[in-house]
């Protein structure tokens, strides 16, 4: 089965020292995992300053010896524990048949291009990469992550572009959309307003998917003009996996709840996640990890304490990532896995 771990260096020395400590921690972790028959399948790396850290990371032994051999994404979303670099590692006994792509635009591509244009370009790059794979977006694309620089300004263009792309390729309210997180984040490309990750399962059928709803807790996204699924539950050999989109403190009418109160927003968003999981026959006990996005880093102590008390053994990482509405102080995403 799958195992998830959050790893971060304890050192507060320079970035090179932290890279080496993290390499040693990951190597030790993978050695233990190998004894259980698991190997590294996926990693997500969180940086505090991509402009100064990205090149050093990809030239490091941490990346070259470990991460380069797995599906890996790198994003600037500063870890709020002060670690400069942290990572989420997924190990597994049996690799799923998936394609993970971390698609980034170049400086030349992004120069003078709006967030709308950049989002269109990213989707078109994804679609072009799938032309010879007998894969279509409507059936096989299961999950996206959209990282938006200066999200308070650029998110509207992203929303319009995604709506237009989905309309063009036949994804509608009457069919379905794609589970997604749209969140503040930066790539190594200085002028990029948008970066994206795509998770595709080439071998699945539409009947292998269930689109999760919890209409007594939160409304369909199309009611406020955006196009993504709250969550998608996928039936794979030997297990079900729920991909829960970025979820915030929202009610069934689409209104933000508990303005200005980050802890009450946390309680509500977890209630929303629990309701979505229930629609897929799961509970919070099936959650693999949480990625927690905070708008204000000063909220870290109260949320870290709350999550430690409520989920003491569950892997979690808290990062700086502004949510798409300024009133939302916190957002979370997760996966959940249930053996069949």
């Amino acid at each position: 089965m799958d195992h998830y771990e959050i790893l971060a260096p304890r050192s507060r020395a320079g970035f090179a020292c932290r890279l080496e400590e993290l390499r040693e921690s990951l190597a030790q972790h993978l050695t233990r995992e190998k004894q259980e028959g698991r190997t590294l399948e996926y990693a997500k790396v969180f940086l505090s300053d991509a402009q100064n850290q990205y090149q050093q990371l990809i030239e490091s032994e941490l990346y070259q010896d470990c991460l380069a051999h797995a599906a890996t994404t790198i994003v600037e979303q500063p870890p709020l524990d002060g670690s400069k670099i942290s990572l989420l590692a997924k190990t597994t006994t049996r690799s799923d048949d998936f394609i993970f792509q971390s698609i980034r635009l170049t400086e030349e591509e992004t120069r003078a291009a709006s967030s709308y244009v950049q989002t269109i370009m990213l989707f078109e790059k994804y679609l072009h990469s799938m032309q010879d794979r007998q894969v279509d977006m409507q059936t096989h694309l299961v999950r996206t992550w959209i990282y938006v620089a200066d999200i308070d300004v650029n998110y509207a263009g992203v929303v319009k572009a995604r709506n237009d792309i989905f309309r063009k390729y036949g994804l509608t309210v009457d069919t379905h959309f794609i589970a997604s997180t749209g969140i503040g984040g930066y790539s190594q490309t200085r002028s990029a307003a948008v970066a994206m990750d795509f998770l595709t399962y080439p071998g699945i059928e539409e009947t292998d998917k269930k689109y999760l709803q919890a209409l007594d807790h939160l409304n369909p996204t199309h009611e406020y003009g955006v196009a993504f699924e709250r969550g998608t539950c996928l039936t794979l050999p030997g297990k079900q996996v729920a991909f829960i989109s970025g979820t915030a403190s929202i009610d069934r009418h689409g209104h933000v709840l508990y303005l200005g109160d980050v802890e009450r927003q946390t309680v509500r968003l977890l209630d929303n996640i629990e309701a979505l999981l229930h629609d897929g026959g799961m509970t919070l006990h099936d959650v693999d990890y949480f990625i927690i996005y905070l708008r204000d880093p000063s909220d870290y102590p109260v949320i870290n304490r709350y999550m430690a008390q409520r989920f003491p053994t569950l892997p979690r990482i808290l990062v700086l990532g502004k949510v798409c509405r300024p009133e939302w102080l916190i957002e979370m995403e997760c996966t959940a896995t249930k053996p069949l």
Side-chain angles (χ1 to χ4, degrees):
M1 290 299 291
D2 303 335
H3 178 73
Y4 293 84
E5 192 79 13
I6 303 289
L7 298 171
R10 296 182 179 180
S11 171
R12 294 300 179 259
F15 188 64
C17 294
R18 301 190 197 201
L19 283 173
E20 178 56 23
E21 181 186 334
L22 189 54
R23 184 199 66 79
E24 292 177 0
S25 297
L26 180 59
Q28 293 169 6
H29 173 66
L30 295 180
T31 297
R32 293 190 297 269
E33 290 296 283
K34 187 176 181 181
Q35 294 171 354
E36 300 294 328
R38 291 189 288 261
T39 56
L40 183 65
E41 182 181 59
Y42 166 79
K44 184 166 191 171
V45 181
F46 304 88
L47 296 177
S48 62
D49 181 2
Q51 292 301 308
N52 287 302
Q53 297 165 347
Y54 177 82
Q55 193 64 33
Q56 194 172 354
L57 167 62
I58 62 172
E59 292 174 357
S60 69
E61 292 183 356
L62 167 65
Y63 187 84
Q64 296 294 328
D65 294 349
C66 301
L67 301 178
H69 307 293
T72 299
T73 182
I74 302 167
V75 61
E76 180 184 314
Q77 288 175 328
L80 293 177
D81 63 356
S83 58
K84 283 188 180 289
I85 177 172
S86 299
L87 65 84
L88 167 67
K90 176 190 177 185
T91 53
T92 186
T93 54
R94 180 175 61 187
S95 293
D96 296 331
D97 178 21
F98 71 86
I99 302 168
F100 179 84
Q101 294 164 286
S102 183
I103 300 182
R104 305 292 186 259
L105 299 174
T106 66
E107 290 287 351
E108 183 177 0
E109 290 171 322
T110 59
R111 193 169 295 118
S114 67
S115 61
Y116 175 89
V117 171
Q118 291 186 31
T119 304
I120 295 290
M121 292 170 65
L122 288 161
F123 271 107
E124 294 291 358
K125 279 178 174 283
Y126 166 77
L127 291 164
H128 180 75
S129 74
M130 292 295 158
Q131 282 183 342
D132 299 326
R133 296 179 184 260
Q134 297 184 326
V135 164
D136 70 86
M137 181 167 62
Q138 187 168 352
T139 302
H140 302 109
L141 179 59
V142 172
R143 182 73 161 88
T144 64
W145 292 261
I146 308 177
Y147 309 109
V148 188
D150 197 3
I151 193 169
D152 293 337
V153 174
N154 289 321
Y155 188 65
V158 172
V159 168
K160 186 177 187 304
R162 180 171 57 183
N163 289 349
D164 289 349
I165 281 284
F166 283 178
R167 190 178 303 112
K168 178 179 178 180
Y169 290 96
L171 283 76
T172 69
V173 172
D174 297 323
T175 60
H176 65 83
F177 298 121
I178 308 296
S180 187
T181 298
I183 196 73
Y186 296 81
S187 75
Q188 69 275 14
T189 304
R190 185 175 303 182
S191 57
V194 191
M196 289 186 68
D197 295 338
F198 298 82
L199 180 63
T200 305
Y201 282 81
I204 63 171
E205 306 289 342
E206 193 61 35
T207 53
D208 296 322
K209 296 185 287 183
K210 176 179 173 60
Y211 301 101
L212 303 179
Q213 298 185 73
L215 298 181
D216 55 340
H217 280 69
L218 64 178
N219 65 331
T221 62
H222 69 84
E223 291 186 358
Y224 52 92
V226 294
F228 70 92
E229 294 293 336
R230 298 290 189 188
T232 301
C233 187
L234 189 60
T235 300
L236 298 170
K239 62 184 178 183
Q240 286 183 311
V241 180
F243 298 93
I244 301 298
S245 299
T247 302
S249 177
I250 192 171
D251 68 12
R252 62 189 181 92
H253 303 295
H255 300 145
V256 179
L257 294 177
Y258 309 122
L259 293 172
D261 190 328
V262 68
E263 188 164 357
R264 293 183 75 190
Q265 286 195 14
T266 302
V267 174
R268 174 64 191 204
L269 77 82
L270 286 167
D271 287 346
N272 289 343
I273 289 175
E274 186 173 32
L276 290 168
L277 290 172
H278 179 74
D279 191 43
M282 296 183 180
T283 73
L284 289 172
H285 295 292
D286 298 307
V287 169
D288 301 310
Y289 63 87
F290 284 113
I291 298 178
I292 304 165
Y293 304 101
L294 291 179
R295 185 177 185 88
D296 183 348
S298 68
D299 287 328
Y300 171 79
V302 66
I303 300 306
N304 190 51
R305 181 170 60 250
Y306 177 85
M307 295 298 290
Q309 291 172 348
R310 185 165 177 183
F311 304 99
T313 62
L314 194 62
R316 68 183 183 279
I317 182 168
L318 287 80
V319 299
L320 178 61
K322 290 187 176 182
V323 190
C324 59
R325 292 196 210 178
E327 298 85 358
W328 277 327
L329 305 178
I330 183 170
E331 180 171 301
M332 292 192 203
E333 67 172 70
C334 65
T335 67
T337 305
K338 184 176 181 178
L340 293 176

